[in-house]
Amino acid sequence: SARAVEFRFATTGAEARNNLVDTPLGTRDGATFAQSGNVTNASAAFFVGSASGDLHLVSGATTAINQASAVPSVTNDIDGATRPVGVAPDVGADEFGAGGSDVIAPSAPTNFRNL
């Protein structure tokens, strides 16, 4: 079956941390690895425009936002923005709210009158 990340050939000492994927992580051929903070059920709804390749997080991606464990050697996101923004880093390559093309959808207006 398909795996987002797969370790093979008696790999030892490998780590998979804070990956945002849509399939499981795994091993074969005797490999082992440590893992934590991975989200393996990501969907297109987590991203601004997955079909066009814009994988910046949207505000509704709460499974990923502020859910990662800190990795001291990872201090920037894919856009080069500092992470974390908020109480913890975000799972995956993008730090929501750090700049780039993050999108927070506007609220619908209420009691609007056009004169």
Side-chain angles (χ1 to χ4, degrees), residues 53-98:
D54 187 346
L55 301 180
H56 289 92
L57 295 172
V58 297
S59 61
T62 57
T63 303
I65 296 172
N66 294 325
Q67 300 300 315
S69 302
V71 177
S73 61
V74 180
T75 58
N76 298 92
D77 75 356
I78 192 76
D79 299 313
T82 302
R83 59 174 32 184
V85 170
V87 298
D90 299 341
V91 177
D94 181 47
E95 186 71 12
F96 180 78

Side-chain angles (χ1 to χ4, degrees), residues 12-115:
T12 58
E15 298 180 6
R17 309 254 187 244
N18 302 328
N19 293 284
L20 183 58
V21 297
D22 64 353
T23 56
L25 287 67
T27 65
R28 70 178 202 191
D29 303 322
T32 60
F33 70 105
Q35 64 174 318
S36 69
N38 299 302
V39 173
T40 59
N41 64 345
S43 71
F46 283 36
F47 307 105
V48 171
S50 60
S52 64
D54 187 346
L55 301 180
H56 289 92
L57 295 172
V58 297
S59 61
T62 57
T63 303
I65 296 172
N66 294 325
Q67 300 300 315
S69 302
V71 177
S73 61
V74 180
T75 58
N76 298 92
D77 75 356
I78 192 76
D79 299 313
T82 302
R83 59 174 32 184
V85 170
V87 298
D90 299 341
V91 177
D94 181 47
E95 186 71 12
F96 180 78
S101 296
D102 293 333
V103 173
I104 299 174
S107 299
T110 58
N111 199 19
F112 178 75
R113 282 181 35 177
N114 188 2
L115 301 174

